[in-house]
Structures are given as C-alpha cells and as structure tokens.
Amino acid sequence: KNSFERKKERRERREMPSKKKTATKTKADDDVKVVDDDALEENENAGCGGTPAPQKLPQITVARLLNETQLGVSMHKRITQQMTRLRTENPEKFLRDTCQCLLHVLLVYKRDVHTERVIRFVIAFTAHREPGHEEEADAFCESLILFLLNVTTAKDRAIRFRACQLVAGILNALGPDAEISDDLYDQMEETMLERLRDNTPVVRAQAARALSRLQDGGEDADFSTNEITVAFIELIGGEKNKDARKAILGALAISDHTISVVVERTRDVSEEVRRIAFLALAAKVPVESVSIEHRALVLRRGLNDRSASVKSACIDMLKKWMSSNVCENDPIALLKLLDAESHPNISEMALKTLIEMKVVKPMAYATKEKSEANGLRRFFPKKLEEEEEEGKEHATTKEELFSPEEALFWRVIVEALANQTSSSGKNTSLAVGQARAVLQAETEEVEDALDQCLPESSMDLLRIISMHADGKTTASIFSARQLMMTLNCSDMNDGALRRGAATFVYERLRSIGDLHDENDISCYARGGDGEWEKQLIDLAKRVHDDNEHVAVVLGACDSLRGTVEEEIANNENNGDDDNNVFAETQALFIASSLFETANNSLSSKLPAHATEAVMQSLIRPAIAHASAGVRREGIRLLGLLLMCGTNALTEETVRILRTAGDADPSESVKCMALRALGDAAMLYGPKALDARREIPVPKKGIHVRFDEEEDEEEEEKRKNEKEKENNDDDDDDDDEDEIPGYQLTLEKQLLRIIESACEPFENPKDKTDLEELDAENIDAMNEAAFTESENSAQTIACETLAKLALRRGYYAFEQPSLVISTLLGAIFACDAQETPRLAQCLAVFFPAIASAPDAKVRACLIDAVLPSLRMASQKKGVAKVAAFLTSLLELEVGASSSNNKEGGDEASNSDNNKNVTVIERSDAGEAELVRALSIEILALNAKPFGTGIAGAQVKAYHAAVARVLSRVPIPDVKSMLTSQPNDGSAVNGSIVSEETKQRVTLQLSEAFVAMKMAMKKCPKEKIALKDINIAKDRIHDSLGVSSSSRNNKEDEDEEGETLDVDLQFAEYTEGVEKYSNELSQSEDLPFYDRKGPKVSKLKQKVMAAPARERSKRAAAQAAAEKWVEDDLNVPLAKITPQPTRSSRRREALQEFNE
C-alpha cells in the first residue's frame, strides 16, 4: 500500500467509535468487574425494539461509595458530599444500608490499609455536620452509635474491636458543640466500662479511647469520684499489655488526683508507655500543678533513661517548662521550681541538659555587664573598691548574697566555660593552617568570657565564699559550697590562694557556729547535712601536699574539742552538756569524713602512733559518752579507722564493736556497730574477729562447748550414755543462751539478733494487721528504708551475713546451712512495706548465690535446702518455700573461673586447655542433696501419715520435698572424665578426680534405690509419686543405665518377692534401709514422733472380744487355725507316689524311680 492508502486507513480508525471499558465494584467484596459498553448497548437495544436508548450513569449507592473510599483519602471529600445527599433523600434507608455495609467491615480483624481507610471515612462522615443539616447529622450519629453499641457484645473479637474503634473515633471526632441524649450517654458509659475489662487487649485499648470524653470532674473538678477515672487508675497498674496501658494513659483526665498516676508511669517497663507519660506531662500538665518532688522525680528518671526516645520526650518536657509563663526562659526561675537546695544533682543535670541543647548559652551570660549586675562580680564593683581605698566599710546584707539557685547556676556556667576552653585548646593544638587560626580565635573568646565571669582575683572569690559561709543558714552554706567548687577553675599554683585557702579551711573546720544561737545550723552537729565539711576536706587535699591534710584536719578536731571545753569550764556550765555534745559530734564527724574519703596512699602511710592518737583523743571518750549521737559517731569513726589500717584491728577495737552491737541501749548505735563489724569481717575475715573476742569463762560443774567438732572418745561416751548426753545438751543450750552475744562468735551473734527480731518462715500478717504503706509513694518508701537502715539491727545482720556468703563462700561460717536457712526464713517473715531494705537485699542475694560461678558459694545454698524445708515444715506455706527453692536451683550458673578445676593443673595458655569445658556442678553438692532428699522421703513413709491437721502437714511436707527433688540439677556421671584425652580433642563435660566421680556415683545410686523403695510405700500420693518418678528417670539418664531396667514387675504380688532392683544397685539396699530407719527415729526428721491412726474404743473392744453374732465365725477361724497347727505337728507318713499317667512314659518312669 502506498502512503495515501495508509493515511486513509488511519483516519478511518480514528473516526470509528472506540469500545470503552468500565470498571465497577460489587458491594460484597473488593473484586473489580470489567463490563463492555457494546454489550450494554445490545441489551438496551434489545429491550427497546432496536431503538438506541440514552446512556445512563451507574446508580450511586452506599456500598459503591464505601468501596471507593478504599482507593485513596483524596476522594473522601467528594464521597462525603454524595453520602450527605443520599442521607437527605431517605434517612431511614440510608441508615439501614450503612449498617448493612458496615457488617462486612466489622468482620475484618487485621488492620490493613483499605479497612482503615473505610473506618476513617465512616468516623469523619458521622462526625461531620453539614450547615443546614445539623439535626439530621445528629440523629444519624446517635442511631449509628446505638447500632455499634449493640454489637459490642458479640463473641467474635473482630466485631468487638471494630465496634469499639468506631465508637471511640466518632466520640473523639465530634465537635465541642455536639450533643447526645442522656440515655445514649449512660448506655455508652456502661457498655464501654464493660469492654474495658475485655479479654482482648485491642478491645480494652479502644474502649479506653471511647471513655476519654465521658469523664466528669464533679463538683471539685478533680475526677476523684468519677467511675471512669477510678476504673482507669485501677486497671493501669495491673494491665499487662503495653498498648492498653498507652491508651488508658492517653485517655486519663489530668487533675491533682491523677497526676501521681501519670508520674508513676514514667518508670513503666515499656519505653513507649514511658514516652507517652512524658508527653502527657508536657502537653496536659502545667508545671506549676506538679509538686516539687514530682518535678525532680520525673526529671531524674527521664534524663537518666536508657531509651533515646524517652529521653527526648523528657527534654521536650523540660523545654516546655522553660518556655512556660512561670519561667519565661529564665534558667534561675526553672531552678527555683526544682528547689536546687533540696535537689542539687537533678537541678545541675537539668541545667547541663539545657546547655547541651543550646537553650541556655553560657557565652550570653559571661559578659562584664551581667557579671557585675547579677554575677560573681557584683560583690566587688569599682565603687566599693574606691570606698575601701577611702577607708569606708561596706557590709554585705543577706539580700545581697546569692540564693542557692543563683550559686548553682553560676557554678555550672563557669564549669561549662572552663570545659569549653579545655576542649577548644585541645582541638587547636591538633589543627593546622587556617582552621588552627579560627579555633585559636574561638579559644581566646571563650577564655575572655571566663575571665569576665569570674572575679578579678582568686582572693576575691575566696572572700565571696567566706561571706556566704558567715551567713550560718542552710541556704548560705549551700551557696558557699557551690561557689567553692569554682575554685577548681582557678590556678591553684598561686601561693597567695593556697595560703588563704589553707587558713580558710582550718578556721571553718574548727568552728561550730554560735553556741547561743538556736537557729544556727552552719555545721553538721547543729543540723547540717555534712556536705560542707566534706567540701572543706576536699579543698584541704588540693591545697596541701601528700598527706599533710590529715594532720591539719585532725588538728582542727582537737582544737575544736579543746576550745569548747575551755568555754564550758569558764562558764561553769556543768549542768548543761549541749555544747559538749555539739563539739564531740562535730569533731567525730570531721574525722570520719577524712577517713571515709581516704585513698590508698593514706592507708599505707598511716602509722601506728596516729591510730593510737585517734583512739586516745576521739574514740575512747566518745564510746563512754552519755549521748547516743556521740557514741554513734565514735563507732562510725572506729569502723572507718579499721578500713584504713591493719594496725587498728586489736582486741580492744573488736571488744568495743562487739559490746556496742549487743548491749548498747540505742538502736542506732547497734546498727552502726554491726555495720562496722560486717565491713571488718569482709576485709579481715570472721575468724580474725573471733580470735580477738572475749572468751567466756565456763561455769563450775558445767561443760561449755564452743566448737562443734568433738573428740572420738567423747562421741563414744555419749553413744553409750544417751540419756546423759541429752541432758548435757539441754544444759549446754541453756548455758549458751545465757552467754552475752559479744562473747559468742560473730556468726552466732548475728543469728541471735535475727531470730530475736522475727520467727523464721512466719508471715507477720498472720499475727497482726500491719499498717499498710502505699508502695506507689516513693518518698514514703525511701523514708521507710532510711529509717530501717538506721534503727533495724535485723536488717544490718542479714546484710552482713549475705555479704559474707557471697564474698567468702562456704568456709566463711561454721554452719553455712544454718545461716542460709535463717536468711531464707527471714525473707518469708519480713514485710516488704514495713522493711523494704531487708526485702530488697534478700531478693537480690538469693538469685546471686544460686547463680554464682564459684562452687563454694553455691554449696551454701545446696546444703541449706533440706534444713530450710525442715524449718518450714511446721509453718504454713511450705509449698511456697519449695517453689522458691526450686526456682533458685533452676537458675543457670555464671561463667566459672579458669582456676576452679579439679584433678587438673591451673589455667595455662596451652592450646589443649582452650578446648576444655569445665562444669563444676558436682562440686556444689547436688548429688549429696539428691541422696538426702531421697532418704528423707523414704523415712517419712516409714509410718502412716495420719489424718486431720497433722496428717495434712505431713503430706504437704512430703510433696514439697518430692517437688524439690524433681528439680535439683543432677550431675551427669557419663560426661565426667578423670583425665584429658591424649589427642587434645574437645571435651563436652567436666574433668574431675576419680574420687569425685566415685563419690557422685555412690550418692546417686543410693538415691535411686531410696526412690524405688519409697514408690512402693506411697502409692496413694500421686503428686509426690510423679515427682519421684521424674527424679528417678533423671538419675537413670545421668548414670547411663538402660531404660529396660526401669520397668518393674508392678503386677507381682507384694507378698511374693522383695524389691526388684537391678543387680548393680542391690548392694546399696541394706545401707539405704539402715540410713532410713535411723532417720525415721531421729529428732532431725520432722514429725518423727507421729503415731499411727487412732482406733476407737469400740473397735478395740470388738477386736479383743468378738460379739455373739460373730462367735460362729470366730470359732470356725480358731478351729481352722488349731487344725493347721495340729496338722503341722503330726509327722507325715511315707507314701509311695503313684505313677503318672502320661503319653511320655520316659518321664513317668523317671518320676517313679525318684
């Protein structure tokens, strides 16, 4: 074809009507159906006699419009207008169609994009009020909400979730002028409160969102009486799902009643919930509505949070507080909101965070004008210098002194400029070229700013500190302490500054203020916190070389005591010792602060004569003082002196501490003495303290034993004279109770203190109703813990024993099992609200000792399992004790050290030792524990359990022992090797000695035999029998015995044969029976003295003399027994056996011949 023809064909194709295709969606699903326009025209022409009809647009329906909402959010505005027109035409039909279409949406549980678009559109359309159609929109909204409330009780969780989601979205999208009827309001509140306790977390979350706008503040507007708010507060503490907690926290109305709940969520487990809590505090809570303690608390938690998102939310909250109407971007006003004097660390952290975020710029405050107006230079302006030259004096008033917030602010600004100068100088030294010049210019600018911020000379700064120290108030002392830290930014090589600082330190240390002014609290003895004295000692370290500050500080203490004593002697005020108490307390505290901050050089260079001088001048007068506060400080100084020099550990010092810890009338002195003894025992060992104690003198006629180990001859004598032995033991126990605690060993003294304070395994709530303490109140809990640490000797004793057990292990005590059992009884006897410090200490101690890598430490817990169960057997809750011990035994052991190997050399760098995996579970005594528990169960089954309360206790103890037995880690004997392979291959097991392997095998074999014997005796105890069977199978696996030997002949008659055991375990049967019989008659076994079931008198009479109706039966039985006896006594006659008729004649002939 030529070009003309081709152009003609293209023109004809363009003029031909194109066949368009239309896409439509069905109402039921999202499938797209494609319909040809030609087919539509043919159908229309067929109905009209071939005449073409005008083309009609597709009918607009609710289903079609809701399907279109899934395609995108951009067309929602147009669809809203079309839906409004449909609702105006026929409201009833529109509501019915909408509810019918929503039923398909409610069935979708997965939150995909298309479904969420439909939900979003329905919420927006229902809340939309077209101008001129407000009443129609409100009626449709109420009807739709009522329909959704009716389906919230469906069994399908998807329907409940989507219904609550739609209700929550509609309520939150309604405008402030929207109104709903009272009946619908009540129904929504009732229905959503019910869904708030739904078993599906997303339903609870949506129900909380729906209830957010239904809360009513009441008359006081604090929401304390609102049912919804009360439900929110009740559920948020026990809610396990983080999304539900987030929804409740976001829906909770903020008031004075609920602020504490929001603050408490700042320490939630989920970082998302913590972030929501900080955002709620920033957006909903004004800073002036939060208490000072809560402000400091949320800043401490947020700025120290490990999550970056939570920390960022806390910083946003801090910025919001900074820009509020209260602060107006003034950092000093923000520090006043935080009370810098009470919370210095948190205030400093907040200010440094603002500097880091460049909200507060130190360079903007480090100008000469601002420094002279409000900064450090305002105390010495030029006018005052001119007045001083003319001889005039200027008195600084209290109004001119720094407030605590101002002092803290300028100290942080000076430190920030000093750090910036140091970092800029370091960067300048590393840079080259033009960058070096730029950095050098920046460094010079920062140095100039620092010089303008500080006074002109360092002596002026020292004078400012002295002016604030003369204020004699807590605020002025705090300001002086903050300003003293700025001396770190000064040049301490200046001789004048060093001399002035040394004089200032000496004068301030030997001063206790005005003794006649009751409001003077400038020192620790007058009510201060002691930080001022510690700051002075730190300054003395920097101005003196080596350890010269020790002589200066101790000299100030002697001078302090001497000055006050002279004043008391001159005034002849012998009746009032208050001034003497202040002087003694202040001197002792200063000396204690010196030794508390001592370093290693002081410990090594402290001579013996210095220790004796401290004892002579400070400690000996203090411990004999009438004031408990002075005695407490003296004991504290003695304990710190023991930490700084080994020459201080003498019989005198040990006797002082032991006597004060046992016989002092003040609880605070007792606690301090016990704490000092615990620290000394950690450093020197308990045996070193026991060797220097006062040995009690035995009474005449009574043999007093202090060691548990006895000679073999004495043991034989006691075995022969058992009754005499028991009497002697009773006398010994009574005599030991009469011995003072300071004459006993440290272990027994601490155990006596614990047992006198509480009864082990005795729940205090069973005795009395303790006053409940709110665990959510942080201040109350901290106050209770502080009071406990100062006045509870039981807490200090438990802490000391726990530290010794973790630090020194099995050989730290004479009876480690008794110590751990007592601590275990204390954790069940203590109340976490009354003694929070003790509860926290023991809650950390037991998991630590159970998972300790050292086998000697774990052995303390292993040996204490059975004694603990025996101690708890007579109390309620022995099952709880067994469950706790089971959880401890199942903990994984930490990484073992390389030198804890048995049967091998020490750790070396050879290649062979790298492939060896050492497992030291067998060294902790697990095999011995399995054997002891097995024999304990066997001994319990020696007698019937009985009935009633006593029988129930025996059964509970029996089940508890079996439970622990089934969970004890059993050493794997198969993997134990006595030597390393010669080829150097990797070893999957442990290398132990041959003796250890034989011992473990023997113990496990005896345990296996005891379990099999116990299973025969307790067939009715199904729970215990199941646990015993589990433990028996585990021992089989450990010993490597085939499973075929486990199947016993259970169907055999009990009278037929004895216990069917494998030949390899037969040799252990006799020994196990012997141990079990001895234990069943021993006092060590709980319920050893129980008797068999009681027999009624009537039954005894019947058994003794049968009734007449049973006479025939009894006579027949007696005749049968007599006949058997007579028959046995008569000799049998010799009878020739008859030949047996059998087809096998050979066998019959053989029998006849025999």
Side-chain angles (χ1 to χ4, degrees), residues 496-566:
L497 178 60
R498 292 172 67 90
R499 289 190 298 270
T503 305
F504 173 78
V505 168
Y506 183 76
E507 291 178 354
R508 295 297 171 181
L509 285 177
R510 62 186 300 272
S511 173
I512 58 173
D514 189 1
L515 297 176
H516 304 286
D517 187 4
E518 297 180 356
N519 298 323
D520 185 7
I521 52 176
S522 58
C523 63
Y524 172 79
R526 307 293 296 274
D529 56 357
E531 295 297 330
W532 169 247
E533 288 80 1
K534 294 179 181 179
Q535 195 69 32
L536 289 172
I537 294 174
D538 184 66
L539 181 60
K541 290 180 182 179
R542 287 187 281 120
V543 299
H544 292 284
D545 298 332
D546 295 334
N547 288 329
E548 293 180 1
H549 68 283
V550 177
V552 174
V553 175
L554 294 179
C557 295
D558 294 337
S559 177
L560 177 64
R561 295 183 64 256
T563 303
V564 178
E565 288 177 0
E566 291 177 2

Side-chain angles (χ1 to χ4, degrees), residues 235-261:
L235 294 176
I236 195 172
E239 178 60 53
K240 296 182 180 180
N241 186 265
K242 64 178 182 179
D243 295 329
R245 293 200 303 273
K246 286 168 54 179
I248 295 174
L249 188 60
L252 184 65
I254 301 299
S255 65
D256 295 338
H257 178 66
T258 59
I259 285 179
S260 59
V261 180

